[in-house]
Amino acid sequence: MKSNLVRVLDGNIFVLSENNGDIEAAVANVCGFFDFDTRFLSLWRLRLNGDRLNPLSIAERDYFTLRFFLVPGEPTHYVDAKASVIRERSITGGVFEERLTVLNHDRGPVDFTVRLDVASDFSPISLVGAEREPVGQLYRRVEDGGLRLGYRREKFQRETVISTSEPAAVDEDGLTYTVQVEGNGEWTTTLRVRALVLRPDGRDVREQLDRRPRRTTAEQREDLADWLARAPQLSCDWDAVTTTYQRSLVDLAALRYSPLTLPDETMPAAGLPWVATITGRDSILTSFQALPIASELAVATLRMLGIDQGAVLDDFRDEEPGKILREFRYSEMVAFEERPESPYYGSADVTPLYVVLLDEYERWTGDAALVRELEEEARAALNWIDQYGDILGDGYVRYRRRNTRTGPENQGWKDSPAAICYADGRLPEPPRATCELQGYAYDAKLRGARLAREFWGDPAYGERLEREAAALRERFERDFWIADRGYYALALDADGRQVDALASNMGHLLWSGIVDESRAAQVAAHLLGPRLFSGWGVRTLAEGQARYNPLGSHVGAVWPFDNALIAWGLRQYGFAEEAGRIAEGIIDAARHFHGRMPEAFAGYPRELTRYPVRYPTANSPQALATGATFLLLRALLGLDPAGEHLMMVPRVPARFGRVELLDVRGRWGQIDVIGSGLARLDGG
């Protein structure tokens, strides 16, 4: 994805365009107007008197509105433009609106021809970066002074309806306005673009499911102001921290959306443009990270994922009873079962993480009612760990795809084909038992035990889960620890042999608590050592491993959310200085991205590049990265619920100076947390 695309969004509905507001989609340029996993506009090109428009400036007031200030031809400092154009863009109530204003800077009247070229390829979002001929029929119709673009394949039908507030000459390729503007005057029209997801009877499928009144732009601004006011207020001597915090709050607000099944609740979409949909892992981990900021996101996440929890054995969808989904999509490919995401369950880590989030949510909020409401779902998830996750019956959670045609071979968060590898580059045979899966299962069992005792009235079940967790930890220490190297294996292969690559995954083991105290220092030393720590953050795979590539998504790049979980795990084991180094590096990296936490960036050594290098196909904004900001702050301030109280043990690096996080909400009410930067051990 091009890094300079301009975006406006509202949850899982968004527009990506060039910096003049034009949309001209191509294989190398994935811009467009997107909704319901489909691109509803692939061309949206504005001309004034035949001239392309160039930007003077772009005003981004909030995430759902943009304003472009444009001039025809190339702008210069030497020739005063005789005309200019303002494009005011918004996503309001699920509708893409654009207000065009032509300003005449001449003293006398001027005739203008305003042309807007329009088209749609109705491409599934997963294919917008690939060459593709549509299988169905594209059609265009001029009607009622507007333009209707459509796509039909059997009963699958999508339409884009474009209307205008001012009369236009409409043809199948766009709209033309011929207007005269008085001297120093202006002319304005408003275009509305609606995306329709049609049933066979011609009605939009969302009409009956979502009956809420469409929000106005003013109501959206009020909602954003309320969101920001409810969040804890942060001040910090290091400006990069407050900038990143504020950007992350706005980005997380932007990614909120209401699934059709729960129209009155919001959960986070995973990110733009590739995963603006219901996801399991991303929604769970984002909600976990955001508990100190917006605990309500966890409610919709837990309920929605519980509703779609696996109930049968289905090889195509990798579905198993009790399993939590990986993702849910609505595209053409899903409708014709060319892809399995309706929903798809091909992730082995999401199911134990579901229980982890449910327990952590209650610890923060005291919401016992939700824990009781979701007892059946949580028990089914815990049962999946042993009944279906333990493929070989050796007590370890493993994965092996059932859908061998389109399912990913790796089904943890590092899901690229070469992500799980030996140090020498070989790939292990499935089923694979990655180390972090065992940590998640261990944590889920202990948390499930607490829920069983305190809320489900089943102490015997709780005792059983604790015994199973203890046995898992003992097995894990025996089978995963590589004694002569002082770190945990990345995975076990199908024969139980250690997959010996040095990777960031073992940082998640600290978060889960499965690591023996006697080995934690060695793990921390590797995580902050030169092979894994780039100076900005922990790489996914260490330098010196055969498949290491600083630009490889899961074999060398740095992911902020991965680092946030590692930092929180380090803090739980008492390694505050190490956690602080990670937090400082990641926030310093975000400073180079204008405060927006990137999904991932290259793993080059800091001393080589002197700035973090953008990862070329990263989502932006991305929910997991946005949530990392909040978990890093939690790690720095040592925030952990304990009954009706919030424990706080701030350990802040010197560069941060004084950090104040005010009005942290939870079962304790509201509380202020203040930490001051520690003196560096080197005196710097």
Side-chain angles (χ1 to χ4, degrees):
M1 185 179 76
K2 293 174 63 175
S3 61
N4 61 342
L5 293 180
V6 180
R7 65 214 71 218
V8 59
L9 70 149
D10 187 14
N12 60 342
I13 306 172
F14 58 98
V15 176
L16 295 175
S17 74
E18 302 292 342
N19 59 6
N20 67 349
D22 282 350
I23 296 169
E24 292 184 272
V27 171
N29 186 9
V30 298
C31 56
F33 166 41
F34 296 88
D35 188 9
F36 232 66
D37 291 313
T38 300
R39 179 159 60 192
F40 282 85
L41 279 178
S42 54
L43 178 65
W44 187 255
R45 183 176 57 216
L46 182 64
R47 297 177 188 267
L48 185 67
N49 290 340
D51 290 330
R52 299 292 297 269
L53 296 161
N54 284 276
L56 294 175
S57 66
I58 302 172
E60 182 182 1
R61 178 174 178 179
D62 38 52
Y63 59 83
F64 46 85
T65 61
L66 276 174
R67 181 177 291 181
F68 303 84
F69 296 90
L70 311 167
V71 291
E74 294 294 333
T76 73
H77 295 289
Y78 308 107
V79 179
D80 293 333
K82 297 299 184 182
S84 61
V85 175
I86 300 175
R87 300 176 92 161
E88 297 173 273
R89 176 171 294 174
S90 66
I91 300 287
T92 305
V95 176
F96 168 31
E97 285 193 355
E98 184 157 290
R99 177 184 170 94
L100 300 179
T101 302
V102 177
L103 297 99
N104 176 17
H105 303 304
D106 213 336
R107 287 181 295 176
V110 176
D111 293 329
F112 291 102
T113 300
V114 181
R115 173 65 183 179
L116 189 66
D117 298 316
V118 178
S120 177
D121 59 4
F122 294 95
S123 174
I125 194 169
S126 58
L127 293 179
V128 294
E131 294 281 2
R132 176 179 183 266
E133 288 295 326
V135 179
Q137 176 191 4
L138 292 165
Y139 58 88
R140 305 165 181 238
R141 290 201 299 268
V142 176
E143 59 182 34
D144 301 326
L147 181 60
R148 184 180 295 266
L149 311 175
Y151 177 76
R152 181 185 292 107
R153 179 182 173 187
E154 299 178 19
K155 294 182 180 179
F156 181 91
Q157 189 174 7
R158 302 286 187 264
E159 286 189 343
T160 305
V161 179
I162 302 159
S163 60
T164 173
S165 64
E166 294 296 315
V170 184
D171 57 69
E172 291 186 349
D173 296 315
L175 301 88
T176 302
Y177 304 89
T178 303
V179 298
Q180 185 177 86
V181 182
E182 295 299 320
N184 295 311
E186 62 183 55
W187 170 87
T188 297
T189 188
T190 299
L191 294 126
R192 299 180 80 247
V193 184
R194 291 185 299 135
L196 301 182
V197 181
L198 298 178
R199 304 186 313 188
D201 64 2
R203 298 182 62 185
D204 192 298
V205 299
R206 295 166 290 189
E207 286 182 11
Q208 291 182 312
L209 294 173
D210 186 0
R211 294 187 173 277
R212 295 171 301 165
R214 298 298 186 187
R215 293 192 302 176
T216 64
T217 301
E219 289 170 333
Q220 284 178 292
R221 290 204 174 106
E222 183 179 353
D223 173 74
L224 177 59
D226 289 344
W227 165 269
L228 296 174
R230 290 195 309 271
Q233 303 304 300
L234 176 76
S235 65
C236 181
D237 291 340
W238 185 18
D239 290 342
V241 179
T242 51
T243 299
T244 302
Y245 181 74
Q246 290 298 322
R247 177 76 262 178
S248 296
L249 283 177
V250 173
D251 282 349
L252 187 58
L255 290 167
R256 295 172 301 161
Y257 78 104
S258 299
L260 294 177
T261 310
L262 296 173
D264 298 319
E265 300 179 26
T266 59
M267 63 186 291
L272 269 60
W274 311 114
V275 278
T277 187
I278 296 173
T279 61
R281 179 189 305 112
D282 295 67
S283 294
I284 286 174
L285 289 177
T286 301
S287 297
F288 180 95
Q289 294 180 118
L291 282 170
I293 306 301
S295 60
E296 67 274 13
L297 295 178
V299 178
T301 294
L302 289 163
R303 282 187 173 140
M304 188 68 244
L305 297 180
I307 289 169
D308 285 322
Q309 189 172 31
V312 299
L313 290 174
D314 183 336
D315 288 351
F316 179 64
R317 293 177 178 82
D318 269 301
E319 182 178 359
E320 294 161 342
K323 201 173 187 183
I324 301 297
L325 65 83
R326 172 193 175 100
E327 60 184 320
F328 198 125
R329 293 190 180 272
Y330 303 91
S331 72
E332 174 188 354
M333 298 174 71
V334 171
F336 291 92
E337 295 198 342
E338 296 164 13
R339 298 285 303 177
E341 296 95 357
S342 60
Y344 180 57
Y345 295 84
S347 290
D349 54 346
V350 181
T351 305
L353 288 173
Y354 182 86
V355 182
V356 171
L357 177 61
L358 180 61
D359 174 74
E360 190 74 4
Y361 167 77
E362 193 285 327
R363 292 178 69 236
W364 273 90
T365 66
D367 185 356
L370 188 70
V371 174
R372 295 189 179 100
E373 174 189 331
L374 298 177
E375 176 183 355
E376 182 178 344
E377 290 83 349
R379 283 178 178 263
L382 288 163
N383 183 64
W384 176 88
I385 292 173
D386 298 319
Q387 186 170 355
Y388 297 100
D390 185 5
I391 295 173
L392 297 184
D394 59 358
Y396 292 124
V397 178
R398 296 176 179 268
Y399 57 80
R400 178 173 55 205
R401 58 182 178 174
R402 292 175 175 271
N403 181 341
T404 57
R405 183 169 62 89
T406 58
E409 188 164 345
N410 282 319
Q411 301 198 342
W413 85 263
K414 293 181 180 177
D415 56 5
S416 54
I420 308 304
C421 57
Y422 295 94
D424 63 10
R426 291 176 297 121
L427 301 180
E429 289 297 317
R432 298 164 181 166
T434 58
C435 64
E436 79 279 4
L437 285 178
Q438 318 319 313
Y440 300 160
Y442 171 82
D443 196 15
K445 286 177 180 289
L446 289 182
R447 290 174 182 269
R450 186 184 83 89
L451 300 180
R453 281 198 181 92
E454 296 186 19
F455 304 102
W456 302 339
D458 195 346
Y461 183 45
E463 290 173 10
R464 191 191 100 196
L465 289 172
E466 285 184 339
R467 288 195 305 271
E468 292 171 354
L472 173 56
R473 190 182 198 194
E474 183 179 353
R475 285 193 305 274
F476 179 80
E477 291 290 347
R478 179 192 68 214
D479 296 337
F480 276 80
W481 183 250
I482 307 176
D484 60 341
R485 303 185 200 179
Y487 62 82
Y488 290 97
L490 173 57
L492 299 182
D493 66 15
D495 296 319
R497 291 187 297 261
Q498 293 175 339
V499 180
D500 59 347
L502 177 59
S504 66
N505 302 53
M506 65 181 175
H508 292 223
L509 301 176
L510 296 172
W511 170 48
S512 69
I514 198 173
V515 173
D516 188 275
E517 292 279 355
S518 65
R519 291 170 172 169
Q522 290 174 273
V523 172
H526 279 292
L527 291 168
L528 276 297
R531 290 193 291 168
L532 274 173
F533 192 67
S534 73
W536 301 106
V538 180
R539 302 178 177 100
T540 44
L541 188 67
E543 281 188 330
Q545 311 300 285
R547 289 189 179 268
Y548 168 73
N549 178 352
L551 288 173
S553 176
H554 301 128
V555 290
V558 175
W559 289 63
F561 102 90
D562 187 28
N563 277 259
L565 291 175
I566 292 169
W568 179 234
L570 285 164
R571 191 63 208 273
Q572 289 178 294
Y573 274 81
F575 297 98
E577 183 184 352
E578 290 82 354
R581 282 184 63 195
I582 289 175
E584 184 175 342
I586 293 294
I587 291 173
D588 203 13
R591 182 170 60 90
H592 292 267
F593 298 99
H594 308 291
R596 170 167 281 159
M597 195 67 80
E599 178 183 26
F601 54 92
Y604 293 117
R606 182 169 183 154
E607 61 270 17
L608 176 66
T609 61
R610 301 186 183 277
Y611 58 87
V613 176
R614 183 184 298 274
Y615 188 76
T617 58
N619 289 284
S620 180
Q622 196 244 5
L624 282 175
T626 296
T629 304
F630 312 128
L631 188 56
L632 288 170
L633 282 169
R634 181 179 174 184
L636 291 173
L637 298 173
L639 304 183
D640 211 16
E644 300 302 314
H645 304 282
L646 178 63
M647 304 296 291
M648 59 189 82
V649 188
R651 295 290 302 276
V652 180
R655 187 175 186 181
F656 288 75
R658 184 178 174 87
V659 180
E660 296 183 359
L661 192 64
L662 309 180
D663 297 332
V664 180
R665 302 173 190 271
R667 61 197 303 166
W668 45 82
Q670 295 180 201
I671 196 167
D672 298 340
V673 185
I674 301 173
S676 294
L678 301 171
R680 293 185 185 274
L681 295 180
D682 60 6

